[in-house]
Amino acid sequence: MSLLREFFRAWTWKMAWRDSRRDRRRLLLFSSSIVFGIAALVSIGSLRDNFQTAIDEQAKELLGADLMLASRREFSDAVEEKIGEIPGQRVDETSFMTMLRFTDADDATRLVQIRAFDEGFPFYGRVATEPAGAWQDSIAGKGVVLERSLLDQFDAKIGDNVQIGELKTKILGYLVEAPPRPSAFAAFAPSAYLSPTVLEETKLLGNRSMARYRSYFKTPPEVDVDEAILTKETEQFYTEEGVSSQSVEGRKKSLGRVLDNLYSFLSLIGFMALLLGGIGIASAIHVHILSRLGTVATLRCIGCTTTQAFAIFLVQGFIPGLFGSFVGTGLGVLIQKVTPMMVKGVLPFEFATAVSWTAIFSSIGIGLLLCISFALLPLIRVRRISPLAALRAGVNNPTRLSRDPYFWTVVGILTVVLLIAGFALSPQKRPYLGAGFVGGLGLAMGMLALIAKGISRLAHRYRGNLPYPPRQGLANLHRPRNQTMPFMVSIGLGVFLIVTMLSTSKMLSSQFDPSAQSGEANLFLIDVQSDQKEGIENLIDESGMKLIDSAPMISMRLTHLNGKEISEVQKDDETKVPGWIVRRDFRSTYRSSLVDTEELVEGTWVGKVEGFDFDEPVPVSIGEGIAKDLKVSLGDTIGMDVQGLPLTLTIASVRKIDWEHMGLNFFLVFPEGVLEDAPGFQILTTRAEGSRESGDLQRKISIGFPNVTVFDTTLILKTVESIVEKVGYVIRFMSLFTVGAGIIILIGTILSGQRDRIEESVLLRTLGASRNQIRSILLTEYFALGLFAAVTGGLLAIVATWALATFAFKVEFLTHLRPVFWATVVTSVLCAAFGMLLSRGVTNHPPLAVLRGER
């Protein structure tokens, strides 16, 4: 309490202002190191609040209704009866993926999502087309409305003819404002809109089709959908029937979770920059106090208490933090106006760029707390200065700082502040994300500090045969007041954070790089009937491609687990399985052997059964992941409804499946001799080396076999890649704040040692060293500091990237050494360049003036 009282005294602020006259420029320079962190937090926080406001305002327009029900098959009579109890209006939709053939554009083909609505959708928002009446005409069954991108891609025109399955129709227009999509973000294929009255003419619907059925509802204003309609019992019923539901509040939560994750990741980047700024403030106060030891001792001699002296220098640390916070706030508001252009096309809604005062004040609060906390560490030295230091040197307490109880108090305060900031920047559903990040960052800083001590000791023991200047430059790494520790912690941490971000971004984007799938299938032919297989194989051969794989696919639904009905399983918390498993169709296959993407981990593989009795359990192989979700193991039984035929399956083996490779992988694999007569279809895979080959094959198949859908995964991967690229661009842009903070710290760290450099220069010149030798010594020292900091930070970044890949993202770890290499080169060069640039003139000071203390 006494410190707070002294902190707010007018005398303390007046003394702090007077004492800072010689060092104000340096302190303000270091204050700029937190500008980037505050700017990042302000801009990101404001954008998040703008996102949330837009979601709240546009939630109904994003869904287009008050409630949506969806299923992979047509609603059963029981579901229809339940739906009949929902008050208000209803509109149905049928959607599926298929090939659209532009018959007037050289028979070009494109995978599209067909969406067929009844009249009246959407209930909220609007659909705009060019020409204006195209949407109503499409609902009336007069043709199809496409997305503008489809017309641009194939140079098609309104009035051109297209073919969907066996339906031949014409393009009525294109969308200017599209109806809401059923998912939060855009689908991988563009949409084409038809009337449900003409769907039968396509001949693409049936028991084997991969269609989705949705119903949208507009309820009376007084009805609360989540309270009155989606009760726990009703949702349980829908789950058992394989029907998913989503309300306006559900859509808001779904979007909120996605944006929370994006916000948290970007906020952590801002937090990184802010931490570096805090280190910069601590470094500035540390150097400032070293130059003020005599002043503190004098104040102590004339009656100033330790608390008063502490408060004076705390004010000098607080003012730069406050100044940097206000400047950073202004910069953050400006950046907020630019960021929407970067995420355009990624988010499914538009949003305003209003200033969020909540984000501003919270960011300033976090920034000031961190600045004050970091400033406390070097201020501990103030209370250890004896009044006798004003009379003679060397009387200060020689005990190590780590033995001072106040040191551990300050460390505790700093840790608590970091944890508070981490929790504040974490998403609501993952409150410990920030704490985990702070813990990992603390571990990295500890490693950097330990390595810095090791480098200093190695430099002390080095006795090489190098020429004098580089040998002396390396020796400076362990001299008194050396800069090895601040360089390693600040610059090394900056390199660590930046390389980790770049490597992780590159690793994730490489998962969607079509070129990385070389040699694997990229064309999947779905819904191939048995009598069509030979003809399609001939088309593949004629196109110069090879059939990579083929497999039958049969749809089935889960009914029992170990003799218990799914409804009973879901009611038991111990046996309850995820809802998506209960709702999904299990599209399974049968074959006699394992494939390359599978590995048997348990049990015995059963490849064929003779004279199978359908009253007996079928021995099947199950995927390792789905077995964990279903909570089943070897010998357990599973009940399945196979197109109306009840079957009991017994788990004979468990497989580990490599889902990352583009192969025909299935959760359940039956032995031959069981499902051959079940209604299903074939899937064929091949590979096209270019878009032209892919287009030719798709065109031939759409003409000869219109019911077959061709999935070109290259297009899907490119779509994902473009989204990842846009998000990555935002991440890289935000990472510039960390780079900026690192450069400011680099400049400040070099300037903080300028006094020591001048004194060393004078001593060396007095001993006979030339100016060129002194410059060589400085160049060696700064280059070595940059090199060691960059290499250490880069190596730690590789370990961090591995940890993120293994434990956070669950993807294959790929070592990207290029970011480490360039970070090492750039950091070393920058350290040497800034070191020499900012050390200009250190050799020009008169020795006598320096020795007298005049400079």
Side-chain angles (χ1 to χ4, degrees):
M1 295 301 294
S2 60
L3 177 61
L4 286 176
R5 185 169 57 251
E6 293 296 337
F7 181 83
F8 288 107
R9 282 183 60 189
W11 177 86
T12 302
W13 286 73
K14 187 180 297 184
M15 285 296 297
W17 176 254
R18 289 176 178 176
D19 181 69
S20 65
R21 281 177 294 183
R22 289 198 306 173
D23 295 316
R24 286 172 191 165
R25 289 184 179 180
R26 179 183 297 169
L27 290 174
L28 288 179
L29 172 67
F30 276 87
S31 73
S32 62
S33 64
I34 71 163
V35 166
F36 298 101
I38 295 292
L41 293 183
V42 167
S43 59
I44 294 166
S46 294
L47 284 173
R48 182 198 52 177
D49 291 347
N50 290 334
F51 288 162
Q52 193 59 55
T53 300
I55 291 172
D56 292 339
E57 293 177 351
Q58 304 176 40
K60 288 190 176 183
E61 294 181 14
L62 290 171
L63 187 62
D66 294 311
L67 172 65
M68 178 186 74
L69 301 178
S71 175
R72 294 179 181 271
R73 57 177 60 189
E74 293 186 84
F75 295 143
S76 64
D77 293 338
V79 172
E80 287 289 352
E81 183 179 350
K82 192 71 174 178
I83 288 176
E85 301 173 4
I86 300 176
Q89 304 175 48
R90 172 182 175 181
V91 169
D92 293 331
E93 176 198 2
T94 302
S95 66
F96 56 90
M97 304 288 279
T98 189
M99 305 303 297
L100 175 69
R101 183 157 65 97
F102 293 85
T103 55
D104 289 344
D106 298 328
D107 284 327
T109 58
R110 179 70 160 88
L111 180 70
V112 298
Q113 182 184 43
I114 300 297
R115 302 187 68 188
F117 291 103
D118 290 333
E119 187 175 358
F121 186 81
F123 295 117
Y124 303 102
R126 73 189 192 100
V127 178
T129 60
E130 180 61 39
W135 179 256
Q136 288 73 21
D137 289 343
S138 69
I139 297 297
K142 298 179 181 180
V144 62
V145 171
L146 305 178
E147 293 186 10
R148 177 65 183 267
S149 61
L150 281 171
L151 276 70
D152 294 339
Q153 181 179 357
F154 298 101
D155 197 23
K157 304 181 298 296
I158 295 174
D160 283 358
N161 294 307
V162 295
Q163 183 169 344
I164 304 170
E166 296 186 10
L167 171 68
K168 295 180 180 179
T169 186
K170 65 178 181 178
I171 301 174
L172 297 175
Y174 60 84
L175 290 167
V176 177
E177 293 184 37
R181 290 187 181 272
S183 59
F185 286 88
F188 293 130
S191 297
Y193 298 87
L194 284 174
S195 168
T197 59
V198 299
L199 282 184
E200 290 297 327
E201 299 180 38
T202 65
K203 307 297 183 183
L204 297 176
L205 293 178
N207 292 332
R208 300 186 300 273
S209 68
M210 303 176 71
R212 295 279 295 187
Y213 300 89
R214 300 181 182 89
S215 289
Y216 299 87
F217 301 87
K218 181 182 181 181
T219 58
E222 65 273 10
V223 176
D224 187 321
V225 172
D226 295 278
E227 293 289 335
I229 299 177
L230 295 181
T231 62
K232 186 176 181 180
E233 294 76 14
T234 302
E235 287 200 284
Q236 179 69 31
F237 167 77
Y238 285 143
T239 299
E240 293 171 5
E241 292 289 331
V243 177
S244 62
S245 61
Q246 189 171 70
S247 64
V248 172
E249 287 299 319
R251 173 58 64 90
K252 288 167 61 177
K253 290 179 182 178
S254 175
L255 279 171
R257 283 193 295 270
V258 174
L259 295 175
D260 262 352
N261 290 333
L262 178 61
Y263 159 77
S264 300
F265 187 67
L266 294 178
S267 293
L268 291 180
I269 295 175
F271 192 32
M272 296 173 191
L274 198 58
L275 285 176
L276 292 177
I279 295 172
I281 293 291
S283 179
I285 297 299
H286 171 72
V287 174
H288 181 59
I289 289 173
L290 286 179
S291 66
R292 285 289 181 271
L293 296 178
T295 302
V296 176
T298 302
L299 288 172
R300 295 292 310 281
C301 286
I302 60 177
C304 181
T305 65
T306 302
T307 303
Q308 288 174 327
F310 195 95
I312 290 171
F313 288 95
L314 184 60
V315 168
Q316 292 178 351
F318 175 78
I319 292 298
L322 187 64
F323 176 80
S325 297
F326 281 115
V327 175
T329 298
L331 180 60
V333 171
L334 291 177
I335 293 170
Q336 178 204 359
K337 304 296 182 181
V338 179
T339 309
M341 293 186 294
M342 302 181 191
V343 295
K344 186 177 181 180
V346 175
L347 301 175
F349 54 84
E350 296 181 356
F351 60 94
T353 54
V355 174
S356 171
W357 293 106
T358 302
I360 288 176
F361 287 124
S362 62
S363 300
I364 291 176
I366 291 174
L368 288 178
L369 276 175
L370 284 174
C371 287
I372 293 174
S373 302
F374 273 104
L376 288 174
L377 280 173
L379 286 175
I380 297 174
R381 184 181 292 272
V382 172
R383 62 174 299 276
R384 293 157 52 85
I385 298 175
S386 170
L388 288 177
L391 303 177
R392 68 178 189 270
V395 298
N396 290 327
N397 190 347
T399 58
R400 289 188 300 178
L401 196 64
S402 59
R403 295 183 180 178
D404 190 333
Y406 283 85
F407 170 78
W408 294 108
T409 301
V410 171
V411 169
I413 292 173
L414 180 59
T415 302
V416 170
V417 170
L418 287 173
L419 288 175
I420 291 173
F423 281 119
L425 297 174
S426 298
Q428 190 175 14
K429 298 292 184 180
R430 301 172 66 187
Y432 300 107
L433 178 66
F437 174 77
V438 170
L441 205 60
L443 182 63
M445 292 176 67
M447 291 293 296
L448 287 167
L450 288 174
I451 293 172
K453 286 187 176 182
I455 290 174
S456 183
R457 290 182 180 179
L458 287 175
H460 179 65
R461 296 179 179 180
Y462 178 72
R463 296 293 185 272
N465 296 321
L466 293 173
Y468 169 71
R471 190 171 70 249
Q472 181 62 33
L474 292 175
N476 283 349
L477 300 181
H478 70 84
R479 58 162 174 74
R481 296 185 184 181
N482 67 77
Q483 292 185 292
T484 305
M485 182 68 75
F487 258 87
M488 289 294 294
V489 174
S490 59
I491 307 304
L493 187 62
V495 171
F496 164 73
L497 295 173
I498 294 169
V499 172
T500 299
M501 285 186 292
L502 293 177
S503 298
T504 303
S505 176
K506 191 172 182 62
M507 179 182 65
L508 292 176
S509 62
S510 66
Q511 306 293 320
F512 307 104
D513 184 2
S515 63
Q517 312 294 332
S518 178
E520 297 184 5
N522 58 8
L523 291 179
F524 287 71
L525 286 66
I526 313 295
D527 201 12
V528 178
Q529 305 305 308
S530 299
D531 57 350
Q532 297 175 326
K533 183 179 178 182
E534 183 178 353
I536 291 179
E537 289 180 356
N538 292 333
L539 281 181
I540 293 174
D541 290 335
E542 292 172 4
S543 300
M545 305 178 196
K546 292 183 178 180
L547 179 68
I548 295 177
D549 200 1
S550 65
M553 178 182 284
I554 297 93
S555 294
M556 54 191 69
R557 292 286 304 277
L558 183 66
T559 59
H560 295 77
L561 278 178
N562 288 319
K564 293 177 64 176
E565 290 189 7
I566 285 300
S567 58
E568 297 179 17
V569 171
Q570 291 298 92
K571 293 176 182 178
D572 190 340
D573 291 334
E574 293 185 3
T575 60
K576 187 176 180 178
V577 298
W580 67 269
I581 295 179
V582 177
R583 293 191 298 266
R584 72 167 289 116
D585 281 347
F586 282 79
R587 300 185 183 275
S588 306
T589 191
Y590 56 88
R591 57 171 176 256
S592 61
S593 60
L594 294 167
V595 295
D596 293 339
T597 55
E598 298 174 327
E599 177 186 351
L600 197 66
V601 293
E602 283 186 280
T604 304
W605 175 263
V606 179
K608 189 173 184 178
V609 293
E610 299 288 348
F612 177 72
D613 184 355
F614 283 91
D615 292 329
E616 297 294 325
V618 184
V620 298
S621 180
I622 191 171
E624 189 176 36
I626 197 71
K628 291 179 181 179
D629 289 332
L630 288 173
K631 301 176 183 178
V632 294
S633 56
L634 290 178
D636 287 347
T637 59
I638 302 174
M640 285 288 179
D641 179 358
V642 185
Q643 308 291 319
L645 174 66
L647 280 183
T648 300
L649 319 179
T650 182
I651 299 175
S653 63
V654 179
R655 294 163 295 124
K656 182 179 180 180
I657 305 172
D658 184 1
W659 295 99
E660 293 182 3
H661 291 279
M662 294 293 183
L664 294 180
N665 299 311
F666 297 87
F667 288 139
L668 293 174
V669 177
F670 285 69
E672 294 181 349
V674 179
L675 297 178
E676 279 76 359
D677 295 330
F681 56 84
Q682 294 276 333
I683 300 180
L684 279 65
T685 67
T686 184
R687 178 172 183 81
E689 296 301 331
S691 57
R692 177 176 297 179
E693 292 84 355
S694 174
D696 289 342
L697 179 62
Q698 292 182 50
R699 183 169 58 253
K700 293 176 182 177
I701 289 177
S702 66
I703 295 173
F705 306 94
N707 64 294
V708 175
T709 301
V710 182
F711 284 91
D712 187 344
T713 59
T714 304
L715 295 174
I716 296 175
L717 290 174
K718 284 182 177 178
T719 304
V720 178
E721 188 181 17
S722 66
I723 296 174
V724 172
E725 184 179 357
K726 285 187 177 181
V727 176
Y729 182 70
V730 175
I731 292 171
R732 288 191 294 273
F733 175 75
M734 299 307 296
S735 68
L736 291 178
F737 293 114
T738 309
V739 177
I743 290 176
I744 294 295
I745 291 174
L746 171 61
I747 295 173
T749 305
I750 294 172
L751 288 179
S752 68
Q754 195 173 43
R755 172 73 185 180
D756 295 330
R757 295 293 180 274
I758 293 172
E759 292 178 355
E760 290 170 5
S761 170
V762 167
L763 292 175
L764 290 172
R765 286 176 59 198
T766 303
L767 295 173
S770 67
R771 285 183 169 85
N772 287 335
Q773 286 179 318
I774 294 173
R775 293 190 185 99
S776 299
I777 292 171
L778 293 175
L779 180 62
T780 301
E781 179 182 359
Y782 285 123
F783 183 82
L785 286 170
L787 178 65
F788 290 139
V791 170
T792 306
L795 293 177
L796 289 176
I798 292 176
V799 177
T801 305
W802 168 82
L804 289 172
T806 305
F807 302 109
F809 298 110
K810 308 293 185 182
V811 297
E812 181 184 359
F813 169 63
L814 300 174
T815 305
H816 295 287
L817 297 178
R818 184 175 295 179
V820 178
F821 171 77
W822 284 112
T824 302
V825 172
V826 171
T827 304
S828 303
V829 172
L830 282 179
C831 285
F834 277 111
M836 297 306 296
L837 181 65
L838 298 174
S839 298
R840 288 183 306 167
V842 297
T843 60
N844 298 329
H845 295 279
L848 190 58
V850 175
L851 295 175
R852 285 176 176 174
E854 297 175 5
R855 291 184 181 273

